[in-house]
Amino acid sequence: MELKINGKSYQVASDAETPLLWVIRDELGMTGTKYGCGLAQCGACSVLVDGVAMRSCVLPAQGVVGRNITTIEAIEADEVGQRVVQAWVKQQVPQCGYCQSGQVVAATALLKQTARPTDEQIVAAMVNLCRCGTYNAIHDAVHELSATAAPAAGGKKA
Ligand code: FES
Ligand code: FES
């Protein structure tokens, strides 16, 4: 299989049904994407697939052939991802850090879809688990990103 990850093409030898998470971590050695539950519950393994956050622990590799996959390693190459990382640093969001790759990916996906989410939209979208309880800091960071985003083209509220 050929997978497009972080702007590069990789020939991978894993079985077609292997979850993308293990291809990324074990075969390709990109360990920024984390394993939490393996059951699509926690979001630690989130990556962007064509700009949408997906839980790579339950995503067969074959299902993302031909799609653009972005992992935390390249999130700052994305303009929105770069803003998210900066906000995370400013708000000092991470505690142990384990869940934070997935949190940053989830925030990037939200803000790519909706540049100025309301607090309700932030709460609805930011559902990844954090054992350290960084939820308030995450909310504050995304809220600030929403408040400082450029208005959508044509003055339409996103
Ligand atoms: S490891 Fe994928 S959702 Fe928890
Ligand atoms: S920062 Fe520790 S699990 Fe979220």
Side-chain angles (χ1 to χ4, degrees):
M1 279 178 296
E2 183 171 297
L3 295 182
K4 282 195 275 179
I5 304 176
N6 299 337
K8 284 202 224 167
S9 291
Y10 293 89
Q11 285 293 337
V12 300
S14 300
D15 289 346
E17 293 303 313
T18 304
L20 177 63
L21 175 63
W22 301 120
V23 178
I24 290 170
R25 285 185 58 87
D26 290 352
E27 187 171 345
L28 301 178
M30 296 181 218
T31 55
T33 305
K34 301 303 184 194
Y35 169 66
C37 63
L39 298 167
Q41 299 290 309
C42 73
C45 63
S46 299
V47 297
L48 294 180
V49 178
D50 293 335
V52 174
M54 301 193 80
R55 296 183 167 186
S56 64
C57 68
V58 291
L59 201 56
Q62 190 176 40
V64 291
V65 169
R67 320 264 306 262
N68 288 305
I69 301 155
T70 305
T71 69
I72 191 68
E73 281 85 357
I75 204 78
E76 286 180 277
D78 182 286
E79 195 183 328
V80 175
Q82 189 178 58
R83 287 184 68 231
V84 170
V85 170
Q86 287 167 355
W88 250 235
V89 172
K90 184 174 172 201
Q91 295 286 345
Q92 300 189 352
V93 174
Q95 292 294 315
C96 80
Y98 197 84
C99 73
Q100 296 295 330
S101 298
Q103 306 285 7
V104 166
V105 165
T108 302
L110 167 63
L111 293 161
K112 284 170 86 64
Q113 172 106 36
T114 307
R116 304 178 80 178
T118 63
D119 283 345
E120 290 73 23
Q121 287 172 315
I122 295 170
V123 169
M126 298 301 296
V127 294
N128 288 1
L129 300 182
C130 173
R131 296 184 72 163
C132 300
T134 62
Y135 301 113
N136 288 344
I138 288 170
H139 186 92
D140 289 349
V142 181
H143 178 87
E144 184 177 325
L145 286 161
S146 174
T148 55
K156 199 174 82 180
K157 194 166 188 287

